[in-house]
Amino acid sequence: MKIMIKNFLIILVLLVSSVSYAEVKIGALFAVTGPASFLGLPEKQTLEMLVDEVNANGGINGEKIELVVYDTKGSDQEARKKFLRLVKKDRVIAVIGPTRSGSTLAIKDLADSEKVPVLSCAASARIVDPLSKYMFKVAPSDSHAVEKIFEFLSEKGKNKIAVLTAQNGFGDSGRAALEQLAPQYKVEIVANEKFRDTDKDMTSQLSKIASQNPDAVIVWGVGPAPAIVAKNFRQLNMKGYLIMSHGVASKKFIELARDAAEGVILPAGRLLVADKLSDNDKFKKLLVEYKNKYESKFNSPVSTFGGHAYDALMIFKTAYAGSKNNLISGIEGIKGYLGTYGEFNFDSVNHDGLSKDAFVMVEIKNGDWELIK
């Protein structure tokens, strides 16, 4: 009898171990290290946290998510190499990321040739324009941020600006949007300067700008460089508004710029001021829940960049649940999805589902974000 029971148990173990549980395999490319790590790390952490949560609740239609994450180190070349690895070796069915605009643009042709949908966490309008069947993005475009900035300046009766942009994909796209939309808002660009991500001092560019006495200096970049701009701006006792792009919407910028961050204005997602939103704001519940989960788990301030990863996964989840055999149609069919950055509405000719309403204007006061009403 004991032998029979033992044999039965052995057979049962073998049967259980041979069961193949359904899984859906997705990849992610984030700048976890390197100059854009303060963007990529919260993206990685958010995505892993959310995948664990989805899997704990049964996955997507009973299929668990298998996540493969690679670090691009902020390098376009590394993004291409790791994208091909995800597709050819890991056999993922979709990719979330990359973190940076340049890295996303570097894989745009690969997404088309490999026929793998990408949900980019970067902002450049060129990611989706010209349109690519397989390329989507969940970060609002530079043009949306520019519209919000120009509306703010118009309300203040200011129209004379200087532009200082990074020499990379994000900076190039921001500069193009600033130049393109300026006439529409009757804004005059009196100075147009550039900087490199690796520059340690921008007093030369800012001195040229100061000579034109602009009402505002608009800086477009990510990483440590914008913080150096803020410090140099204060050291030169420059007047007028110092306005940054949404590329600095992270507490890391405040840490790097220190006192020079005080008074900086920028367009950002509502997540930064979630606790200060009115109780009837339709985004508040989601934002506060995500903020509390993230900060409790990682003991670090939430950032809007982690929110991009949140939105990307939930958009993928919605599309896969409704149309697993045609992810493109599934994503293009998403309407009215309330995410951390706004309301998403995709279709066959719009692979950037957000509008300028994704942004609110904030000011840095006493080392924190203050909603400008």
Side-chain angles (χ1 to χ4, degrees):
M1 185 67 176
K2 289 182 179 180
I3 294 174
M4 289 177 63
I5 293 173
K6 183 178 179 181
N7 289 340
F8 172 76
L9 290 173
I10 290 172
I11 292 170
L12 184 61
V13 168
L14 289 173
L15 286 171
V16 170
S17 63
S18 68
V19 172
S20 178
Y21 292 100
E23 288 185 334
V24 51
K25 198 170 188 180
I26 62 173
L29 297 172
F30 298 134
V32 182
T33 61
S37 61
F38 74 95
L39 313 180
L41 181 59
E43 290 172 344
K44 175 180 182 288
Q45 290 173 328
T46 294
L47 188 58
E48 290 174 339
M49 178 182 75
L50 199 57
V51 165
D52 287 344
E53 186 177 308
V54 170
N55 284 342
N57 287 292
I60 309 175
N61 293 345
E63 295 182 59
K64 297 294 182 74
I65 299 172
E66 182 182 347
L67 176 64
V68 183
V69 181
Y70 289 129
D71 180 10
T72 67
K73 305 172 186 176
S75 161
D76 299 351
Q77 183 178 357
E78 195 72 12
R80 286 182 66 87
K81 184 169 70 175
K82 293 297 172 58
F83 178 83
L84 288 172
R85 183 172 179 178
L86 283 172
V87 173
K88 295 183 179 297
K89 181 177 181 292
D90 299 309
R91 302 291 181 183
V92 301
I93 66 167
V95 173
I96 292 174
T99 298
R100 304 187 74 168
S101 293
S103 297
T104 303
L105 293 169
I107 67 166
K108 189 173 180 178
D109 63 323
L110 296 179
D112 282 339
S113 62
E114 299 297 332
K115 296 180 171 51
V116 173
V118 172
L119 286 159
S120 172
C121 294
S124 173
R126 289 189 291 146
I127 293 168
V128 293
D129 184 15
L131 185 70
S132 159
K133 179 179 179 180
Y134 295 93
M135 186 66 68
F136 299 82
K137 73 186 187 74
V138 298
S141 290
D142 313 282
S143 56
H144 299 149
V146 171
E147 288 179 273
K148 207 70 178 178
I149 291 170
F150 284 170
E151 284 181 359
F152 167 81
L153 290 173
S154 178
E155 289 169 4
K156 299 297 182 182
K158 307 295 184 182
N159 66 350
K160 187 178 175 183
I161 69 164
V163 173
L164 180 56
T165 56
Q167 292 177 284
N168 56 32
F170 181 65
D172 292 345
S173 184
R175 183 172 59 257
L178 287 161
E179 293 171 347
Q180 181 181 358
L181 290 168
Q184 180 181 328
Y185 287 87
K186 297 180 172 57
V187 168
E188 179 188 5
I189 299 176
V190 297
N192 199 330
E193 298 288 331
K194 299 178 183 180
F195 62 88
R196 293 184 296 272
D197 282 338
T198 54
D199 285 350
K200 304 300 181 186
D201 186 280
M202 283 72 160
T203 53
S204 174
Q205 297 98 315
L206 287 170
S207 295
K208 293 176 186 176
I209 287 171
S211 68
Q212 300 301 314
N213 194 31
D215 296 322
V217 178
I218 300 176
V219 182
W220 221 265
V222 299
I228 296 171
V229 173
K231 290 178 180 179
N232 293 158
F233 184 94
R234 305 303 182 200
Q235 289 163 357
L236 292 170
N237 294 314
M238 293 179 67
K239 306 301 180 186
Y241 294 113
L242 177 57
I243 301 177
M244 294 281 172
S245 75
H246 48 304
V248 305
S250 163
K251 275 292 182 73
K252 189 65 177 179
F253 169 75
I254 298 176
E255 292 173 15
L256 291 171
R258 298 186 180 180
D259 292 345
E262 192 72 9
V264 166
I265 291 169
L266 65 143
R270 292 172 180 81
L271 181 60
L272 293 187
V273 288
D275 295 332
K276 298 168 186 175
L277 297 173
S278 65
D279 289 340
N280 60 2
D281 187 292
K282 63 184 180 181
F283 298 101
K284 184 169 184 175
K285 184 175 183 292
L286 165 69
L287 295 175
V288 171
E289 285 180 357
Y290 166 48
K291 178 179 185 292
N292 291 341
K293 283 180 185 177
Y294 182 89
E295 293 182 350
S296 174
K297 184 174 180 64
F298 299 107
N299 193 30
S300 177
V302 74
S303 87
T304 58
F305 304 101
H308 295 327
Y310 186 109
D311 292 336
L313 183 69
M314 295 311 291
I315 287 167
F316 169 83
K317 179 176 179 285
T318 301
Y320 187 80
S323 187
K324 65 182 289 184
N325 295 320
N326 192 335
L327 277 175
I328 302 301
S329 298
I331 299 171
E332 290 177 344
I334 289 175
K335 303 287 186 293
Y337 161 67
L338 298 185
T340 69
Y341 232 110
E343 181 176 320
F344 287 85
N345 294 283
F346 295 98
D347 58 45
S348 61
V349 295
N350 177 21
H351 284 195
D352 171 13
L354 292 168
S355 70
K356 66 181 175 65
D357 294 330
F359 287 112
V360 293
M361 293 299 291
V362 301
E363 182 177 359
I364 299 173
K365 288 185 177 180
N366 301 316
D368 202 0
W369 315 104
E370 192 71 32
L371 179 64
I372 298 174
K373 298 180 180 178

